[in-house]
Amino acid sequence: MYRRRSYCGIKKFKKCFTSAVHDVLRNLGYKNFAFPSNIKPNNSEHVICGPVFTIEGKMDESCDANQTLLSWTELLSKAKENHIWLSQPHNHIVAQMGELSAEVLQKKGVLGCITDGLIRDREAVSKLNFPCWNVGYTPRDIVGYWMPTSINKTIIIGDVIIEPGDWLHGDSDGIVRIKIKDIDEVIEKSYEAVNTENKIKIAIFDGMDPVDAYKKFGTF
């Protein structure tokens, strides 16, 4: 029942701003939950939220093309529907996502891709409307260069520890991690924060002093 309620909250949660979610997490006492600022959306209009399927890997030039391609297709096969593909590739040399892989994941019902690495086929991925966050772009692929080392295990991006099933919320401001045990509370409080902020805006636009607005509504 708990997980079912959480999944039903995806649409509601997507209406929130990541900055509002950040403030809720800060008020709950969390630290080290915001991803590095160099991980940016391929399309600034995209919003992503949901639980994660984690991947970790490393450069390994001792592998042949067949080994790397087989391992990559196994990753695609194991990707979870209604989850975010989250990758810590430990390199900024080869692409961790491209048009064909994005299309496969999209058809599998994957919510989007976030990688602390590069992607390729930038325009094609954007046209697919498949949400993707990354640190940059390259035409180089993983063939003969990169192998996964773990699937659906705890990973670290920047100073953020992410466990399988943790949730992420991301938009053009960046990405934050939400522990699964807190997700229902964070969804509700984030939604309330957005509504409160709208009330503050309306009050200030109607002539109320910002200090008075803060005292009345209690937050910014």
mmCIF file of all heavy atoms in Angstrom, residues 67-109:
data_model
loop_
_atom_site.group_PDB
_atom_site.id
_atom_site.type_symbol
_atom_site.label_atom_id
_atom_site.label_comp_id
_atom_site.label_asym_id
_atom_site.label_seq_id
_atom_site.Cartn_x
_atom_site.Cartn_y
_atom_site.Cartn_z
ATOM 1 N N GLN A 67 31.911 -7.974 -26.112
ATOM 2 C CA GLN A 67 31.695 -7.981 -24.668
ATOM 3 C C GLN A 67 30.971 -6.717 -24.206
ATOM 4 O O GLN A 67 30.027 -6.772 -23.412
ATOM 5 C CB GLN A 67 33.026 -8.096 -23.933
ATOM 6 C CG GLN A 67 33.661 -9.466 -23.942
ATOM 7 C CD GLN A 67 35.003 -9.448 -23.228
ATOM 8 O OE1 GLN A 67 35.949 -8.800 -23.673
ATOM 9 N NE2 GLN A 67 35.093 -10.164 -22.119
ATOM 10 N N THR A 68 31.433 -5.590 -24.691
ATOM 11 C CA THR A 68 30.830 -4.328 -24.250
ATOM 12 C C THR A 68 29.399 -4.175 -24.762
ATOM 13 O O THR A 68 28.524 -3.717 -24.030
ATOM 14 C CB THR A 68 31.687 -3.128 -24.707
ATOM 15 O OG1 THR A 68 31.948 -3.236 -26.109
ATOM 16 C CG2 THR A 68 33.010 -3.095 -23.960
ATOM 17 N N LEU A 69 29.170 -4.566 -26.000
ATOM 18 C CA LEU A 69 27.817 -4.462 -26.555
ATOM 19 C C LEU A 69 26.856 -5.421 -25.869
ATOM 20 O O LEU A 69 25.706 -5.061 -25.586
ATOM 21 C CB LEU A 69 27.840 -4.733 -28.060
ATOM 22 C CG LEU A 69 28.320 -3.569 -28.933
ATOM 23 C CD1 LEU A 69 28.522 -4.029 -30.372
ATOM 24 C CD2 LEU A 69 27.312 -2.416 -28.881
ATOM 25 N N LEU A 70 27.308 -6.641 -25.575
ATOM 26 C CA LEU A 70 26.460 -7.607 -24.893
ATOM 27 C C LEU A 70 26.103 -7.114 -23.492
ATOM 28 O O LEU A 70 24.943 -7.187 -23.067
ATOM 29 C CB LEU A 70 27.156 -8.964 -24.816
ATOM 30 C CG LEU A 70 26.363 -10.082 -24.109
ATOM 31 C CD1 LEU A 70 25.034 -10.330 -24.811
ATOM 32 C CD2 LEU A 70 27.180 -11.368 -24.056
ATOM 33 N N SER A 71 27.096 -6.586 -22.786
ATOM 34 C CA SER A 71 26.841 -6.067 -21.440
ATOM 35 C C SER A 71 25.874 -4.889 -21.476
ATOM 36 O O SER A 71 25.012 -4.745 -20.601
ATOM 37 C CB SER A 71 28.155 -5.644 -20.775
ATOM 38 O OG SER A 71 28.985 -6.752 -20.549
ATOM 39 N N TRP A 72 26.017 -4.042 -22.489
ATOM 40 C CA TRP A 72 25.122 -2.885 -22.603
ATOM 41 C C TRP A 72 23.680 -3.323 -22.878
ATOM 42 O O TRP A 72 22.743 -2.805 -22.257
ATOM 43 C CB TRP A 72 25.601 -1.952 -23.706
ATOM 44 C CG TRP A 72 24.766 -0.709 -23.802
ATOM 45 C CD1 TRP A 72 23.770 -0.450 -24.687
ATOM 46 C CD2 TRP A 72 24.826 0.434 -22.934
ATOM 47 N NE1 TRP A 72 23.205 0.781 -24.443
ATOM 48 C CE2 TRP A 72 23.842 1.346 -23.371
ATOM 49 C CE3 TRP A 72 25.636 0.765 -21.846
ATOM 50 C CZ2 TRP A 72 23.642 2.569 -22.758
ATOM 51 C CZ3 TRP A 72 25.419 1.985 -21.223
ATOM 52 C CH2 TRP A 72 24.437 2.870 -21.682
ATOM 53 N N THR A 73 23.509 -4.288 -23.780
ATOM 54 C CA THR A 73 22.148 -4.752 -24.075
ATOM 55 C C THR A 73 21.533 -5.448 -22.867
ATOM 56 O O THR A 73 20.316 -5.381 -22.670
ATOM 57 C CB THR A 73 22.134 -5.693 -25.289
ATOM 58 O OG1 THR A 73 23.046 -6.786 -25.075
ATOM 59 C CG2 THR A 73 22.534 -4.954 -26.561
ATOM 60 N N GLU A 74 22.354 -6.092 -22.037
ATOM 61 C CA GLU A 74 21.841 -6.679 -20.799
ATOM 62 C C GLU A 74 21.332 -5.601 -19.846
ATOM 63 O O GLU A 74 20.319 -5.792 -19.160
ATOM 64 C CB GLU A 74 22.924 -7.522 -20.123
ATOM 65 C CG GLU A 74 23.223 -8.821 -20.864
ATOM 66 C CD GLU A 74 24.398 -9.577 -20.274
ATOM 67 O OE1 GLU A 74 25.130 -8.975 -19.441
ATOM 68 O OE2 GLU A 74 24.601 -10.752 -20.630
ATOM 69 N N LEU A 75 22.039 -4.459 -19.804
ATOM 70 C CA LEU A 75 21.559 -3.330 -18.995
ATOM 71 C C LEU A 75 20.189 -2.862 -19.475
ATOM 72 O O LEU A 75 19.269 -2.645 -18.677
ATOM 73 C CB LEU A 75 22.542 -2.167 -19.060
ATOM 74 C CG LEU A 75 23.865 -2.270 -18.327
ATOM 75 C CD1 LEU A 75 24.675 -1.000 -18.547
ATOM 76 C CD2 LEU A 75 23.652 -2.514 -16.844
ATOM 77 N N LEU A 76 20.062 -2.701 -20.782
ATOM 78 C CA LEU A 76 18.792 -2.251 -21.343
ATOM 79 C C LEU A 76 17.682 -3.242 -21.022
ATOM 80 O O LEU A 76 16.552 -2.851 -20.715
ATOM 81 C CB LEU A 76 18.919 -2.077 -22.861
ATOM 82 C CG LEU A 76 19.896 -1.015 -23.364
ATOM 83 C CD1 LEU A 76 19.970 -1.055 -24.890
ATOM 84 C CD2 LEU A 76 19.500 0.367 -22.886
ATOM 85 N N SER A 77 18.011 -4.520 -21.091
ATOM 86 C CA SER A 77 17.025 -5.562 -20.824
ATOM 87 C C SER A 77 16.546 -5.542 -19.377
ATOM 88 O O SER A 77 15.380 -5.814 -19.086
ATOM 89 C CB SER A 77 17.625 -6.929 -21.157
ATOM 90 O OG SER A 77 16.706 -7.967 -20.891
ATOM 91 N N LYS A 78 17.454 -5.205 -18.438
ATOM 92 C CA LYS A 78 17.129 -5.237 -17.014
ATOM 93 C C LYS A 78 16.538 -3.928 -16.485
ATOM 94 O O LYS A 78 16.090 -3.882 -15.333
ATOM 95 C CB LYS A 78 18.377 -5.594 -16.211
ATOM 96 C CG LYS A 78 18.866 -7.019 -16.451
ATOM 97 C CD LYS A 78 20.165 -7.287 -15.713
ATOM 98 C CE LYS A 78 20.644 -8.713 -15.975
ATOM 99 N NZ LYS A 78 21.942 -8.990 -15.296
ATOM 100 N N ALA A 79 16.536 -2.888 -17.293
ATOM 101 C CA ALA A 79 15.996 -1.602 -16.853
ATOM 102 C C ALA A 79 14.540 -1.746 -16.427
ATOM 103 O O ALA A 79 13.764 -2.486 -17.044
ATOM 104 C CB ALA A 79 16.119 -0.572 -17.966
ATOM 105 N N LYS A 80 14.156 -1.036 -15.364
ATOM 106 C CA LYS A 80 12.838 -1.191 -14.768
ATOM 107 C C LYS A 80 11.839 -0.150 -15.273
ATOM 108 O O LYS A 80 12.139 1.041 -15.320
ATOM 109 C CB LYS A 80 12.943 -1.093 -13.249
ATOM 110 C CG LYS A 80 13.691 -2.247 -12.603
ATOM 111 C CD LYS A 80 13.641 -2.124 -11.089
ATOM 112 C CE LYS A 80 14.306 -3.299 -10.405
ATOM 113 N NZ LYS A 80 14.199 -3.220 -8.933
ATOM 114 N N GLU A 81 10.658 -0.621 -15.608
ATOM 115 C CA GLU A 81 9.554 0.265 -15.972
ATOM 116 C C GLU A 81 9.227 1.184 -14.804
ATOM 117 O O GLU A 81 9.329 0.804 -13.635
ATOM 118 C CB GLU A 81 8.333 -0.577 -16.335
ATOM 119 C CG GLU A 81 7.116 0.231 -16.757
ATOM 120 C CD GLU A 81 5.919 -0.648 -17.038
ATOM 121 O OE1 GLU A 81 5.994 -1.871 -16.767
ATOM 122 O OE2 GLU A 81 4.904 -0.110 -17.515
ATOM 123 N N ASN A 82 8.840 2.417 -15.130
ATOM 124 C CA ASN A 82 8.468 3.422 -14.118
ATOM 125 C C ASN A 82 9.599 3.735 -13.149
ATOM 126 O O ASN A 82 9.360 4.107 -11.997
ATOM 127 C CB ASN A 82 7.219 2.983 -13.344
ATOM 128 C CG ASN A 82 5.976 2.977 -14.191
ATOM 129 O OD1 ASN A 82 5.788 3.851 -15.039
ATOM 130 N ND2 ASN A 82 5.120 1.985 -13.998
ATOM 131 N N HIS A 83 10.841 3.581 -13.620
ATOM 132 C CA HIS A 83 12.028 3.958 -12.862
ATOM 133 C C HIS A 83 12.894 4.884 -13.711
ATOM 134 O O HIS A 83 12.774 4.918 -14.935
ATOM 135 C CB HIS A 83 12.850 2.727 -12.477
ATOM 136 C CG HIS A 83 12.306 1.970 -11.308
ATOM 137 N ND1 HIS A 83 11.085 1.330 -11.343
ATOM 138 C CD2 HIS A 83 12.814 1.750 -10.056
ATOM 139 C CE1 HIS A 83 10.860 0.735 -10.181
ATOM 140 N NE2 HIS A 83 11.896 0.981 -9.379
ATOM 141 N N ILE A 84 13.768 5.636 -13.038
ATOM 142 C CA ILE A 84 14.741 6.483 -13.714
ATOM 143 C C ILE A 84 16.048 5.707 -13.864
ATOM 144 O O ILE A 84 16.529 5.103 -12.910
ATOM 145 C CB ILE A 84 15.002 7.766 -12.907
ATOM 146 C CG1 ILE A 84 13.722 8.601 -12.792
ATOM 147 C CG2 ILE A 84 16.120 8.600 -13.538
ATOM 148 C CD1 ILE A 84 13.825 9.724 -11.774
ATOM 149 N N TRP A 85 16.603 5.705 -15.053
ATOM 150 C CA TRP A 85 17.914 5.110 -15.328
ATOM 151 C C TRP A 85 18.971 6.079 -14.785
ATOM 152 O O TRP A 85 19.139 7.185 -15.281
ATOM 153 C CB TRP A 85 18.057 4.928 -16.834
ATOM 154 C CG TRP A 85 19.384 4.525 -17.393
ATOM 155 C CD1 TRP A 85 20.504 5.293 -17.481
ATOM 156 C CD2 TRP A 85 19.719 3.272 -17.994
ATOM 157 N NE1 TRP A 85 21.513 4.600 -18.097
ATOM 158 C CE2 TRP A 85 21.063 3.359 -18.426
ATOM 159 C CE3 TRP A 85 19.015 2.087 -18.224
ATOM 160 C CZ2 TRP A 85 21.718 2.305 -19.074
ATOM 161 C CZ3 TRP A 85 19.662 1.050 -18.876
ATOM 162 C CH2 TRP A 85 20.987 1.159 -19.281
ATOM 163 N N LEU A 86 19.669 5.672 -13.727
ATOM 164 C CA LEU A 86 20.658 6.532 -13.081
ATOM 165 C C LEU A 86 22.035 5.884 -13.178
ATOM 166 O O LEU A 86 22.246 4.786 -12.662
ATOM 167 C CB LEU A 86 20.292 6.775 -11.619
ATOM 168 C CG LEU A 86 21.280 7.616 -10.811
ATOM 169 C CD1 LEU A 86 21.340 9.048 -11.357
ATOM 170 C CD2 LEU A 86 20.914 7.622 -9.335
ATOM 171 N N SER A 87 22.974 6.582 -13.812
ATOM 172 C CA SER A 87 24.267 5.991 -14.130
ATOM 173 C C SER A 87 25.435 6.772 -13.536
ATOM 174 O O SER A 87 25.508 7.995 -13.682
ATOM 175 C CB SER A 87 24.432 5.919 -15.656
ATOM 176 O OG SER A 87 25.758 5.617 -16.023
ATOM 177 N N GLN A 88 26.351 6.042 -12.880
ATOM 178 C CA GLN A 88 27.646 6.577 -12.464
ATOM 179 C C GLN A 88 28.710 5.828 -13.286
ATOM 180 O O GLN A 88 29.172 4.756 -12.909
ATOM 181 C CB GLN A 88 27.868 6.380 -10.972
ATOM 182 C CG GLN A 88 29.255 6.820 -10.466
ATOM 183 C CD GLN A 88 29.645 8.209 -10.927
ATOM 184 O OE1 GLN A 88 30.145 8.386 -12.046
ATOM 185 N NE2 GLN A 88 29.423 9.199 -10.075
ATOM 186 N N PRO A 89 29.109 6.405 -14.425
ATOM 187 C CA PRO A 89 30.012 5.695 -15.341
ATOM 188 C C PRO A 89 31.492 5.865 -15.034
ATOM 189 O O PRO A 89 32.330 5.201 -15.628
ATOM 190 C CB PRO A 89 29.676 6.319 -16.688
ATOM 191 C CG PRO A 89 29.298 7.731 -16.350
ATOM 192 C CD PRO A 89 28.594 7.646 -15.015
ATOM 193 N N HIS A 90 31.816 6.795 -14.135
ATOM 194 C CA HIS A 90 33.217 7.062 -13.759
ATOM 195 C C HIS A 90 34.092 7.442 -14.952
ATOM 196 O O HIS A 90 35.260 7.064 -15.021
ATOM 197 C CB HIS A 90 33.816 5.857 -13.027
ATOM 198 C CG HIS A 90 33.183 5.592 -11.694
ATOM 199 N ND1 HIS A 90 33.253 6.471 -10.636
ATOM 200 C CD2 HIS A 90 32.419 4.540 -11.273
ATOM 201 C CE1 HIS A 90 32.592 5.961 -9.603
ATOM 202 N NE2 HIS A 90 32.070 4.810 -9.965
ATOM 203 N N ASN A 91 33.520 8.178 -15.888
ATOM 204 C CA ASN A 91 34.331 8.744 -16.972
ATOM 205 C C ASN A 91 33.526 9.810 -17.697
ATOM 206 O O ASN A 91 32.289 9.783 -17.686
ATOM 207 C CB ASN A 91 34.774 7.659 -17.966
ATOM 208 C CG ASN A 91 33.695 7.320 -18.976
ATOM 209 O OD1 ASN A 91 33.598 7.915 -20.034
ATOM 210 N ND2 ASN A 91 32.841 6.365 -18.615
ATOM 211 N N HIS A 92 34.255 10.747 -18.302
ATOM 212 C CA HIS A 92 33.667 11.743 -19.183
ATOM 213 C C HIS A 92 34.325 11.626 -20.546
ATOM 214 O O HIS A 92 34.706 12.630 -21.157
ATOM 215 C CB HIS A 92 33.831 13.154 -18.604
ATOM 216 C CG HIS A 92 33.041 13.385 -17.357
ATOM 217 N ND1 HIS A 92 33.258 14.457 -16.529
ATOM 218 C CD2 HIS A 92 32.026 12.680 -16.795
ATOM 219 C CE1 HIS A 92 32.414 14.405 -15.512
ATOM 220 N NE2 HIS A 92 31.654 13.346 -15.656
ATOM 221 N N ILE A 93 34.413 10.380 -21.015
ATOM 222 C CA ILE A 93 35.100 10.091 -22.281
ATOM 223 C C ILE A 93 34.146 9.513 -23.312
ATOM 224 O O ILE A 93 34.119 9.957 -24.459
ATOM 225 C CB ILE A 93 36.276 9.115 -22.048
ATOM 226 C CG1 ILE A 93 37.297 9.729 -21.081
ATOM 227 C CG2 ILE A 93 36.957 8.754 -23.386
ATOM 228 C CD1 ILE A 93 38.382 8.779 -20.652
ATOM 229 N N VAL A 94 33.353 8.508 -22.917
ATOM 230 C CA VAL A 94 32.433 7.862 -23.853
ATOM 231 C C VAL A 94 30.995 8.122 -23.427
ATOM 232 O O VAL A 94 30.703 8.363 -22.259
ATOM 233 C CB VAL A 94 32.695 6.342 -23.952
ATOM 234 C CG1 VAL A 94 34.097 6.095 -24.495
ATOM 235 C CG2 VAL A 94 32.508 5.651 -22.605
ATOM 236 N N ALA A 95 30.087 8.058 -24.395
ATOM 237 C CA ALA A 95 28.674 8.357 -24.139
ATOM 238 C C ALA A 95 27.991 7.221 -23.389
ATOM 239 O O ALA A 95 28.221 6.040 -23.669
ATOM 240 C CB ALA A 95 27.954 8.617 -25.454
ATOM 241 N N GLN A 96 27.126 7.589 -22.454
ATOM 242 C CA GLN A 96 26.372 6.616 -21.668
ATOM 243 C C GLN A 96 24.911 6.522 -22.105
ATOM 244 O O GLN A 96 24.136 5.796 -21.484
ATOM 245 C CB GLN A 96 26.431 7.003 -20.191
ATOM 246 C CG GLN A 96 27.824 7.079 -19.614
ATOM 247 C CD GLN A 96 28.585 5.762 -19.722
ATOM 248 O OE1 GLN A 96 29.750 5.742 -20.097
ATOM 249 N NE2 GLN A 96 27.939 4.657 -19.409
ATOM 250 N N MET A 97 24.556 7.218 -23.165
ATOM 251 C CA MET A 97 23.201 7.147 -23.704
ATOM 252 C C MET A 97 23.217 7.709 -25.109
ATOM 253 O O MET A 97 23.978 8.629 -25.416
ATOM 254 C CB MET A 97 22.227 7.951 -22.827
ATOM 255 C CG MET A 97 20.745 7.828 -23.194
ATOM 256 S SD MET A 97 20.110 6.136 -23.190
ATOM 257 C CE MET A 97 20.535 5.589 -21.538
ATOM 258 N N GLY A 98 22.394 7.113 -25.980
ATOM 259 C CA GLY A 98 22.274 7.582 -27.351
ATOM 260 C C GLY A 98 20.864 7.334 -27.853
ATOM 261 O O GLY A 98 19.992 6.852 -27.106
ATOM 262 N N GLU A 99 20.619 7.638 -29.118
ATOM 263 C CA GLU A 99 19.261 7.575 -29.661
ATOM 264 C C GLU A 99 18.642 6.188 -29.537
ATOM 265 O O GLU A 99 17.516 6.044 -29.041
ATOM 266 C CB GLU A 99 19.264 8.004 -31.129
ATOM 267 C CG GLU A 99 17.883 7.941 -31.775
ATOM 268 C CD GLU A 99 17.911 8.255 -33.252
ATOM 269 O OE1 GLU A 99 19.017 8.296 -33.839
ATOM 270 O OE2 GLU A 99 16.826 8.454 -33.830
ATOM 271 N N LEU A 100 19.338 5.145 -29.982
ATOM 272 C CA LEU A 100 18.758 3.809 -29.984
ATOM 273 C C LEU A 100 18.450 3.334 -28.562
ATOM 274 O O LEU A 100 17.363 2.816 -28.288
ATOM 275 C CB LEU A 100 19.704 2.821 -30.666
ATOM 276 C CG LEU A 100 19.232 1.369 -30.719
ATOM 277 C CD1 LEU A 100 17.874 1.257 -31.407
ATOM 278 C CD2 LEU A 100 20.271 0.486 -31.427
ATOM 279 N N SER A 101 19.403 3.534 -27.643
ATOM 280 C CA SER A 101 19.187 3.116 -26.258
ATOM 281 C C SER A 101 18.039 3.894 -25.625
ATOM 282 O O SER A 101 17.206 3.323 -24.902
ATOM 283 C CB SER A 101 20.464 3.319 -25.444
ATOM 284 O OG SER A 101 21.496 2.487 -25.907
ATOM 285 N N ALA A 102 17.979 5.195 -25.882
ATOM 286 C CA ALA A 102 16.896 6.016 -25.331
ATOM 287 C C ALA A 102 15.541 5.547 -25.848
ATOM 288 O O ALA A 102 14.561 5.481 -25.093
ATOM 289 C CB ALA A 102 17.117 7.482 -25.682
ATOM 290 N N GLU A 103 15.501 5.180 -27.125
ATOM 291 C CA GLU A 103 14.245 4.713 -27.715
ATOM 292 C C GLU A 103 13.810 3.391 -27.087
ATOM 293 O O GLU A 103 12.628 3.185 -26.788
ATOM 294 C CB GLU A 103 14.394 4.571 -29.223
ATOM 295 C CG GLU A 103 13.090 4.389 -29.954
ATOM 296 C CD GLU A 103 13.231 4.571 -31.452
ATOM 297 O OE1 GLU A 103 14.365 4.672 -31.943
ATOM 298 O OE2 GLU A 103 12.189 4.621 -32.126
ATOM 299 N N VAL A 104 14.774 2.494 -26.869
ATOM 300 C CA VAL A 104 14.467 1.207 -26.228
ATOM 301 C C VAL A 104 13.930 1.425 -24.819
ATOM 302 O O VAL A 104 12.916 0.837 -24.422
ATOM 303 C CB VAL A 104 15.727 0.310 -26.191
ATOM 304 C CG1 VAL A 104 15.480 -0.914 -25.298
ATOM 305 C CG2 VAL A 104 16.116 -0.136 -27.591
ATOM 306 N N LEU A 105 14.612 2.270 -24.048
ATOM 307 C CA LEU A 105 14.187 2.529 -22.675
ATOM 308 C C LEU A 105 12.815 3.195 -22.627
ATOM 309 O O LEU A 105 11.986 2.881 -21.768
ATOM 310 C CB LEU A 105 15.220 3.398 -21.963
ATOM 311 C CG LEU A 105 16.592 2.751 -21.729
ATOM 312 C CD1 LEU A 105 17.548 3.763 -21.097
ATOM 313 C CD2 LEU A 105 16.477 1.508 -20.864
ATOM 314 N N GLN A 106 12.590 4.121 -23.530
ATOM 315 C CA GLN A 106 11.300 4.802 -23.577
ATOM 316 C C GLN A 106 10.170 3.801 -23.831
ATOM 317 O O GLN A 106 9.116 3.858 -23.191
ATOM 318 C CB GLN A 106 11.318 5.870 -24.665
ATOM 319 C CG GLN A 106 10.106 6.777 -24.685
ATOM 320 C CD GLN A 106 10.241 7.863 -25.732
ATOM 321 O OE1 GLN A 106 10.489 7.574 -26.908
ATOM 322 N NE2 GLN A 106 10.109 9.108 -25.326
ATOM 323 N N LYS A 107 10.391 2.860 -24.749
ATOM 324 C CA LYS A 107 9.378 1.855 -25.062
ATOM 325 C C LYS A 107 9.155 0.897 -23.901
ATOM 326 O O LYS A 107 8.075 0.318 -23.760
ATOM 327 C CB LYS A 107 9.763 1.100 -26.326
ATOM 328 C CG LYS A 107 9.624 1.930 -27.591
ATOM 329 C CD LYS A 107 9.956 1.136 -28.844
ATOM 330 C CE LYS A 107 9.739 1.984 -30.084
ATOM 331 N NZ LYS A 107 10.077 1.231 -31.332
ATOM 332 N N LYS A 108 10.180 0.725 -23.054
ATOM 333 C CA LYS A 108 10.057 -0.131 -21.878
ATOM 334 C C LYS A 108 9.342 0.573 -20.722
ATOM 335 O O LYS A 108 9.073 -0.032 -19.694
ATOM 336 C CB LYS A 108 11.443 -0.590 -21.403
ATOM 337 C CG LYS A 108 12.086 -1.666 -22.257
ATOM 338 C CD LYS A 108 13.498 -1.970 -21.794
ATOM 339 C CE LYS A 108 13.526 -2.574 -20.395
ATOM 340 N NZ LYS A 108 13.018 -3.965 -20.344
ATOM 341 N N GLY A 109 9.071 1.862 -20.881
ATOM 342 C CA GLY A 109 8.393 2.614 -19.833
ATOM 343 C C GLY A 109 9.325 3.220 -18.810
ATOM 344 O O GLY A 109 8.891 3.617 -17.718
#
